[in-house]
Amino acid sequence: MPAVLLFLIFVILLVIAIPVSITLGITSVLPSIFDPSFTVGAKYLIRAMFGGLDSFPLLAVPMFVLSGILMAKGGISKKLFDVFAYFLGTFTAGIPCAVIVTCLFYGAISGSAPATVAAVGSMTIPILSGLGYDLTFSTAIVAVAGGLGVIIPPSIPFIMYGMASGASVSDLFLAGIIPGLMIGALLMLYAICYCKRHGEDQERIQAEIQILHDKGLLRVLKESFFALLSPVIILGCIYSGVASPTEAAVISVFYALIISLFVYRSIHPKDIWGIFVEAIRTYTPILFILATSTAFSRVLTLMQIPQTVSTFILEHFHSPVSILLVLNCFLLIVGMVMDTTPAILILTPILLPIVEAIGMNPVQFGVIMVVNLAIGFVTPPIGVNLFVASSLTDVPVMEIAKKAMPMIFFFLIALLLITFVPAISLGLL
């Protein structure tokens, strides 16, 4: 079966809104149906699906999903926001900047962009709107900053890329720190420019910040201490060698549960069952996508599609700069129409040989891929963050997307820097 026909059917199934997991399953079996001599049969594909799920690093994904939901229900995002608002609130765009920094920290807890948008946005968008900021701007800034949740470690897409490429997950986590902070700084720069141009209701902002200042710094820090400590514990366990990323994910679940139940008392024992159910509902679609994408990637490998694509690009584009620009454009388009998990699992085996042929470190390419797909979180038609943010405020998705365009431009600047300045990704390794 020609590879072009296979991908054409794949795209058509996605366009007519067939679920990604079913689309991957259908396209995995098509070569053996059209060509009986093809070496992959149904039994092999089923073994490949179960084999793809039999992975110790993969256990980190449901654990980070669960810990993110526990921390959202436990109000940890509110505790983080209070600290950053206390210090930044008196400056120009201080409150929007506090929202961005909160997304950075919450991303270092949950590892998920949609979870970051839901947890931080549900709490901060009403605050921003109440302080006089435009509702669409408030929604857009949370939607875009939520994308930092997959760049700042621990990151679920980095775990997926590590599984698909064989790269060290710990190295990928380290490589995401500087790019995540740089993108956060660029988003804050945009927020400052926006607020200087459109103005702020300083009277209402000062009244809100005064409430925090009346509490006093020590009380604010005391109330937020365990929330601030959570990313330190999670990342500290990984980089000190005490725990692997998977074990650190389990630690984060128990930490979130204990802090929410016994310290903040924001969760009651009767709420735990509902949280588990929500975590299972969140993770189960990812599980099916993982299984079918593993089978699909095996089929692509046997059809020698990675080698064909690699040869085509290397023959038609000769300089590393042009190759990297083509790959970035391709990944940006993919991020607009496909979710992060299947995109990483399908494309990594295809694109990794190309970047290795031009001498790029696989860890740096992992960061490039994740940043590209993070931009896809806020670009229609499949901008997950846009839909999550829209559900919080009822602002139409396209209005959020239009307001987010200048912030996406800053994201693209960061992407180019990450692509052509390896030290940004590899400096901490």
Side-chain angles (χ1 to χ4, degrees), residues 9 28 37 71 90 120 152 172-173 184 196 366 382 397 401 403 409:
I9 294 171
S28 297
S37 64
M71 291 178 181
T90 55
V120 178
I152 291 290
L172 288 164
F173 282 1
K196 281 187 174 180
I382 315 290
V397 168
K403 206 73 170 181
F409 174 74

Side-chain angles (χ1 to χ4, degrees), residues 38-361:
F38 191 64
T39 55
V40 172
K43 289 183 180 179
Y44 176 87
L45 290 174
I46 292 171
R47 285 200 301 270
M49 289 169 67
F50 280 99
L53 299 178
D54 184 18
S55 168
F56 181 70
L58 194 58
L59 288 173
V61 178
M63 293 296 102
F64 279 128
V65 169
L66 178 56
S67 69
I69 293 172
L70 281 167
M71 291 178 181
K73 301 292 185 183
I76 286 177
S77 55
K78 178 67 169 70
K79 306 291 184 184
L80 291 171
F81 176 74
D82 284 348
V83 173
F84 305 130
Y86 183 95
F87 288 106
L88 299 174
T90 55
F91 298 100
T92 301
I95 301 296
C97 287
V99 172
I100 294 168
V101 179
T102 304
C103 287
L104 274 168
F105 264 75
Y106 194 84
I109 296 170
S110 70
S112 165
T116 302
V117 174
V120 178
S122 60
M123 179 270 302
T124 59
I125 292 174
I127 293 175
L128 287 170
S129 182
L131 293 175
Y133 293 98
D134 177 65
L135 179 60
T136 308
F137 165 75
S138 304
T139 308
I141 202 163
V142 172
V144 177
L148 298 170
V150 298
I151 303 169
I152 291 290
S155 159
I156 291 173
F158 278 149
I159 297 170
M160 299 299 182
Y161 177 82
M163 189 180 79
S165 67
S168 165
V169 175
S170 297
D171 285 350
L172 288 164
F173 282 1
L174 269 178
I177 293 174
I178 294 177
L181 293 176
M182 179 179 69
I183 294 169
L186 288 172
L187 292 179
M188 286 191 280
L189 178 62
Y190 169 75
I192 292 169
C193 295
Y194 178 91
C195 290
K196 281 187 174 180
R197 181 180 177 185
H198 293 87
E200 298 176 279
D201 190 336
Q202 288 295 335
E203 190 173 328
R204 274 196 271 184
I205 293 170
Q206 291 302 326
E208 183 72 21
I209 298 303
Q210 192 59 44
I211 295 172
L212 288 174
H213 283 215
D214 288 343
K215 282 186 177 181
L217 177 59
L218 288 178
R219 185 178 170 188
V220 171
L221 289 176
K222 182 181 177 182
E223 291 178 352
S224 308
F225 175 75
F226 290 102
L228 292 167
L229 194 61
S230 51
V232 176
I233 290 175
I234 295 167
L235 299 178
C237 287
I238 295 171
Y239 298 128
S240 65
V242 172
S244 68
T246 303
E247 292 161 344
V250 177
I251 291 170
S252 73
V253 170
F254 281 98
Y255 180 83
L257 188 61
I258 291 168
I259 295 304
S260 298
L261 277 175
F262 303 114
V263 178
Y264 294 143
R265 297 182 181 178
S266 48
I267 292 178
H268 298 286
K270 65 181 181 181
D271 300 327
I272 294 175
W273 178 255
I275 291 171
F276 284 162
V277 170
E278 184 178 343
I280 291 169
R281 285 177 175 168
T282 303
Y283 177 64
T284 302
I286 299 175
L287 188 72
F288 280 107
I289 290 171
L290 283 168
T292 52
S293 62
T294 301
F296 187 59
S297 65
R298 299 279 176 89
V299 170
L300 293 181
T301 302
L302 289 170
M303 293 177 70
Q304 296 190 322
I305 289 175
Q307 295 90 327
T308 303
V309 173
S310 176
T311 302
F312 175 83
I313 291 178
L314 292 173
E315 284 181 355
H316 290 80
F317 301 93
H318 303 292
S319 74
V321 172
S322 61
I323 291 171
L324 290 173
L325 288 174
V326 167
L327 292 181
N328 274 318
C329 291
F330 175 66
L331 287 170
L332 284 170
I333 295 169
V334 169
M336 293 179 186
V337 298
M338 189 182 292
D339 194 28
T340 308
T341 298
I344 289 173
L345 295 174
I346 293 166
L347 296 177
T348 298
I350 296 174
L351 301 181
L352 190 59
I354 300 172
V355 296
E356 287 182 326
I358 61 174
M360 176 175 280
N361 190 307

